[in-house]
Amino acid sequence: MVFLEDASGSAGVDFDERFRNKTYHVPSLFPKTEVSQNDNNSSLLKSLTVCGANSGQPPPPTPHVAAIAVLTTQKSHTCDTFAFPPPPPGDRRRIGPRPCPVCYVPVEQAIASMPSSPSPSPVLGHLTYFREENPIKIEPHGGSDFGGYPSLKQRNDSFNIKESMTVHCGFVKGCRPGHQTGFDIDAADLVELEQFHDVIVASAIFGNYDIIQQPKNISDTARKNIPFYMFVDEETEAYLKNSSLLDNNKRVGLWRIIVVHSNPYTDARRNGKVPKLLLHRLFPNVRFSLWIDGKLQLVVDPYQILERFLWRQNATFAISRHYTRFDVFEEAEANKAGGKYDNASIDYQIDFYKKEGLTPYSASKLPITSGRPMPCVYECVFGMCLQLKINFFFNRVFADVPEGCVIIREHIPITNLFTCLWFNEIDRFTSRDQLSFSTVRDKIMAKVNWTINMFLDCERRNIVVQAYHRDLLEQRTRLAGSISHPPSRPPPPLPLVRNNNPAVRTPAKKNPIRRGRGDKKSGARRHRKVAAGNRDHILV
């Protein structure tokens, strides 16, 4: 049997009643009516519930946004005259990809450009989610108690976009994510997650895997109106308490800490995919979100990021391309070589996608929709441009492999469906989200007029600074203590200065120090060796 929730009925429940005395009573919120459903692939009758999505109108603009919108009278866009500068000269001492200049408007102008109403969601207007009290695995591959065990037919049907859809999207054991779902959150924190916000910033650290990075260059308006949420497990919480980093208000600097109990997976990285892709379920009353991985430090104001990568582009979802790889097959081989996941599981996933029609990346996947050509020199290693099947990049170019550590999105039904189905692929196959991204994207784009803004990786490196994972930092510390002389230090990140256009954030250039032959220091280490597998973790 399937039980269908009357979403309009639950939407009328008063918020204060839902969380009276810091308690949350799920059954009282979701009246159900019985309907029938037949699954031709299932010989076992399953009891399901359909959980409603928040599809109502957003709250009215907050006072600070309305005031700025009235006061700001820009006749032309600040970045209209921005010209992409010539590439810097090659520098073999500068290892790894570099950031490139990005033009941002002032924070006040960015806020004024925020859409007053939700963007259209093509075809899909109403999205609901399956609930299974006792998920049962009926097919040999894929699924979990947390995400459910959708049959292959259900999985394929979920890509057939219709006006109203019901899909698996995690949290199958409860209609309120965070309450008895295997990804449990304290009642007081659930109240916090229910609040209305135009914009939030979110991140996560599970398994005490990273060190919390404090955002920089955040405006006073953003500090006042944009909450920063960091999801952690009990292990990470214990470290924060023992290190005296967590204050009495559950904060570490700008981050509000949300503790997750009863993690659904044994793999900390897979647990991190839950808030990363299912933010719309954890925050049902949020319009826009910015996700950054736990190892990253945000160095640009969130309003400016949203204006640059969503609002200015009329996009609803933005993610950067991988800095070296476009092809899923190449990404799979790189994952196997790096020991990211067991090879058999990776091979099974890729073979499955090949049977569905996945082909290697080619120039035919390069729609030139807008923008000017950008030299690929910024996607460089050792200062030399890599030949990545094409010689020029454009503002809105597709690649089959994203650099998924930054996700910028508007919470509307079509983007919510995309991340639900992306998560389902991760739950069915490996946790390497870069392998399944293009399959989900292309299947949805084949059905509806919707696209993703895949911006340059060098632009991503302009908005975040990438740090080492905790295990690498500890390894370096141990290595430093085991040798008698000080180890060579990695080159510091380039300081950021502004060029003639005050809106453009540009890496500064340093004049090289020239020495004569007699000035060269004996024994100086002129080159820093870096293991190939660790180049992704170099500070940029």
Side-chain angles (χ1 to χ4, degrees), residues 318-331:
I319 192 171
S320 69
R321 304 194 295 275
H322 197 277
Y323 62 95
T324 57
R325 292 185 288 276
F326 284 178
D327 193 288
V328 174
F329 296 93
E330 294 177 4
E331 178 66 19

Side-chain angles (χ1 to χ4, degrees), residues 3 23 51 82 107 121 161 163 282 306 309 334 387 393 439:
F3 295 95
T23 60
C51 298
F82 171 68
V107 172
S121 177
I161 313 301
E163 195 280 331
L282 291 164
L306 284 161
F309 297 104
Q387 296 301 317
F393 295 105
T439 291

Side-chain angles (χ1 to χ4, degrees), residues 471-485:
D471 57 348
L472 293 177
L473 289 173
E474 293 174 349
Q475 181 182 1
R476 289 166 60 87
T477 301
R478 290 193 298 269
L479 180 62
S482 63
I483 57 179
S484 56
H485 57 83

Side-chain angles (χ1 to χ4, degrees), residues 40-60:
N40 296 330
N41 281 7
S42 173
S43 60
L44 182 64
L45 196 61
K46 296 188 293 182
S47 178
L48 301 176
T49 301
V50 179
C51 298
N54 186 338
S55 56
Q57 292 298 316

Side-chain angles (χ1 to χ4, degrees), residues 158-314:
S158 67
F159 292 108
N160 185 22
I161 313 301
K162 297 175 292 186
E163 195 280 331
S164 181
M165 296 181 63
T166 300
V167 298
H168 286 80
C169 193
F171 306 103
V172 296
K173 292 185 178 181
C175 280
R176 176 55 179 102
H179 180 81
Q180 298 179 356
T181 58
F183 190 91
D184 296 332
I185 298 171
D186 294 334
D189 290 334
L190 286 175
V191 176
E192 178 74 21
L193 270 55
E194 283 273 347
Q195 301 299 309
F196 285 103
H197 294 289
D198 286 317
V199 181
I200 64 166
V201 178
S203 185
I205 297 176
F206 289 89
N208 200 26
Y209 197 65
D210 292 298
I211 297 174
I212 293 180
Q213 307 291 325
Q214 288 302 319
K216 296 173 58 178
N217 305 319
I218 308 301
S219 66
D220 291 339
T221 304
R223 288 176 179 270
K224 179 181 178 181
N225 295 286
I226 298 180
F228 289 69
Y229 295 106
M230 177 69 70
F231 291 87
V232 303
D233 56 6
E234 292 175 345
E235 178 184 352
T236 307
E237 179 197 24
Y239 171 82
L240 296 175
K241 288 182 176 179
N242 293 337
S243 304
S244 300
L245 296 174
L246 187 63
D247 64 21
N248 294 330
N249 296 320
K250 296 184 178 182
R251 290 188 173 276
V252 176
L254 203 56
W255 294 102
R256 168 70 156 81
I257 303 301
I258 305 294
V259 181
V260 177
H261 310 282
S262 305
N263 293 322
Y265 305 105
T266 57
D267 180 7
R269 292 178 179 176
R270 191 183 285 271
N271 287 324
K273 298 298 189 295
V274 176
K276 178 176 181 177
L277 299 182
L278 305 184
L279 276 180
H280 63 282
R281 299 218 60 193
L282 291 164
F283 296 92
N285 300 312
V286 164
R287 295 187 62 200
F288 301 94
S289 65
L290 169 61
W291 169 271
I292 62 173
D293 279 1
K295 65 183 178 182
L296 302 180
Q297 180 186 34
L298 186 66
V299 293
V300 176
D301 189 88
Y303 288 122
Q304 294 177 303
I305 295 172
L306 284 161
E307 189 280 331
R308 169 63 184 85
F309 297 104
L310 282 192
W311 305 333
R312 195 189 308 176
Q313 306 292 334
N314 291 322

